[in-house]
Amino acid sequence: MLRELVAASHLMSMEQLPDAVARHAADSGLGDVVIYVADVRQTVLRLLTGRGHDAGQDPGDEIPEYKVEGTLPGRVFRTMRPVKGQVFDDGTCHRWLPILDGAERVGVLRVTAGEDDEQAMDDAAYLSGLVALLIVSKGPYSDSYSRLIRTRPMTVSAEIQWRLLPPMTFANDQVVIGAALEPAYQLGGDTFDYALAGETVHLGVFDAMGHDTTAGLTSSLAIAAWRSSRLRGAGIPETGQAIEEELVRYDGSGRFVTAVLAELDIQSGVLSWASYGHPEPAVIRGGRWVTTLNCRPGTPLGTDLGVEPELCSEQLQPGDRVLLYTDGIVEARDPQKREFGLHRFVDFIIRHEQDGMSVPETLRRLIHNILDHHAGHLDDDATVLLVEWNGPPGSDEDAMDALRQT
């Protein structure tokens, strides 16, 4: 099944994917295969049929949409664990499985198989992994898929930002990275980036002045300059200077960008960082907020004021979580003008960690909690980038279990 599906996928569009998956799965005894994908904001799961202008038309007898909260498919998405569904008189049942691209949650898969057929469940798990890879590879070239995973139109600035972002979740046996940002459909100048290079994880959070298309262009230029510089092997101070020069040279809007640039050595757990007029990162250790990473900041990037930041370092302990964020996270105000605040932000992360919530689910709930605090509408972008160091190589034999349990 997997071999033939891979072979067929080379000349397959996103629109052809659902029928092809169902056809090849049926040949291996997995019946009634359907695919649901999460929307951008991760509030609903939508049926992917491949038909119509939004790849979701003609659902037949299937339910077109499930909410992430309060439904069985939503539970599978939230917990990243398979669940048995409806049982039928013929001894078969529905099985719901998460569709995961590595640690990134794409959606959920439903199959029909024998209630006690463990081989079928193994096959379904492999199938869900392949479906994730196919969706991720075909999705960027499908407008109908892009329409399906949106619940409202995007601004031009948000369109730019989402196309540049890395996956919202990454995990291996040494590090877990999760991110979230709002307002998803009206992003202005907030963005983030991360990448691995050997034993180093590069992390960056950026907040461009303003909340319009120009702000999006400014932060995109900063991200491009950051990537270009780090790929040449430059360190944090040199990379910050490269971003500064690009913004001064090419951005005639006069906008500036605040940022935190960081590097984590995943062998030793040493975190190095520099701040360019940006909120200070926070560290959670052992279920407690232990420190704020104070470091003499430089001036925001693009101001051409020449004040260089201090390059600082912190020795992390296995299990430590570092929170990088923009001011929109803590400055979101409710209708009574009360700020969400740094203490509430960190306490939210700690409480959900103690409840055994995964990193991506914690951040999903954080963003929705902030939206609720602000009566559903943010006046400023709110972005958080969380990195958890699990210790040196070999300290955790199962990275996915670590992701689910931490």
Side-chain angles (χ1 to χ4, degrees), residues 73-399:
R75 173 181 157 198
V76 173
F77 181 82
R78 297 192 311 271
T79 63
M80 298 185 289
R81 295 185 182 278
V83 172
K84 182 191 295 186
Q86 184 177 0
V87 179
F88 302 100
D89 293 338
D90 62 358
T92 63
C93 69
H94 282 162
R95 296 276 188 167
W96 293 88
L97 302 96
I99 300 175
L100 302 172
D101 176 38
E104 175 80 349
R105 301 182 296 181
V106 177
V108 296
L109 181 78
R110 194 204 71 201
V111 304
T112 302
E115 186 176 2
D116 300 318
D117 191 340
E118 295 303 320
Q119 181 60 53
M121 287 313 304
D122 288 343
D123 292 343
Y126 290 125
L127 177 63
S128 68
L130 180 55
V131 167
L133 294 175
L134 294 177
I135 290 175
V136 169
S137 67
K138 307 295 181 182
Y141 314 107
S142 171
D143 276 0
S144 57
Y145 177 76
S146 294
R147 293 189 186 102
L148 181 65
I149 62 173
R150 300 181 184 190
T151 59
R152 66 189 66 179
M154 274 192 182
T155 63
V156 172
S157 179
E159 195 75 56
I160 294 170
Q161 303 293 52
W162 279 104
R163 298 289 181 176
L164 289 175
L165 289 173
M168 305 299 281
T169 312
F170 169 83
N172 64 13
D173 60 344
Q174 295 166 272
V175 67
V176 177
I177 300 171
L181 67 175
E182 276 288 341
Y185 296 94
Q186 296 176 310
L187 285 174
D190 270 22
T191 192
F192 70 89
D193 197 23
Y194 66 84
L196 279 71
E199 297 174 355
T200 302
V201 179
H202 300 276
L203 304 153
V205 172
F206 303 82
D207 184 358
M209 171 188 173
H211 192 74
D212 53 16
T213 301
T214 302
L217 292 171
T218 299
S219 61
S220 298
L221 181 58
I223 284 284
W226 187 53
R227 290 175 177 174
S228 176
S229 182
R230 76 168 192 251
L231 287 172
R232 292 197 299 268
I236 291 176
E238 296 80 12
T239 298
Q241 183 60 37
I243 299 172
E244 170 83 6
E245 292 172 357
E246 289 296 315
L247 291 175
V248 171
R249 181 182 302 118
Y250 295 113
D251 189 351
S253 66
R255 305 291 181 98
F256 58 81
V257 177
T258 69
V260 168
L261 307 181
E263 295 178 355
L264 172 63
D265 186 316
I266 55 178
Q267 289 277 1
S268 66
V270 173
L271 179 76
S272 303
W273 79 97
S275 174
Y276 297 83
H278 201 82
E280 299 163 336
V283 177
I284 296 172
R285 176 176 300 153
R288 295 187 304 111
W289 177 15
V290 295
T291 187
T292 300
L293 298 180
N294 299 308
C295 192
R296 180 178 55 80
T299 47
L301 297 164
T303 57
D304 200 23
L305 295 177
V307 179
E308 297 294 328
E310 181 182 4
L311 180 62
C312 298
S313 64
E314 177 81 7
Q315 176 63 62
L316 301 183
Q317 297 181 13
D320 279 1
R321 288 180 168 184
V322 181
L323 302 174
L324 291 76
Y325 57 94
T326 62
D327 56 10
I329 288 285
V330 296
E331 293 179 1
R333 296 178 181 272
D334 65 13
Q336 286 73 46
K337 305 301 180 183
R338 293 171 297 192
E339 285 190 348
F340 192 78
L342 180 58
H343 286 273
R344 185 183 306 192
F345 164 45
V346 176
D347 182 65
F348 187 97
I349 300 294
I350 290 173
R351 284 189 290 105
H352 282 72
E353 176 186 11
Q354 293 172 341
D355 290 341
M357 203 70 64
S358 70
V359 168
E361 181 61 19
T362 294
L363 296 183
R364 187 190 73 86
R365 295 188 181 199
L366 169 70
I367 289 296
H368 289 283
N369 192 268
I370 291 173
L371 282 169
D372 291 342
H373 178 81
H374 205 264
H377 177 75
L378 296 179
D379 295 327
D380 191 14
D381 295 349
T383 298
V384 58
L385 181 63
L386 184 156
V387 57
E388 176 180 297
W389 183 59
N390 290 322
S395 59
D396 190 332
E397 296 181 358
D398 192 334

Side-chain angles (χ1 to χ4, degrees), residues 53-74:
H53 80 289
D54 64 356
Q57 294 185 13
D58 302 327
D61 295 331
E62 302 297 340
I63 297 174
E65 180 178 293
Y66 288 98
K67 292 184 177 180
V68 169
E69 297 290 347
T71 67
L72 188 146

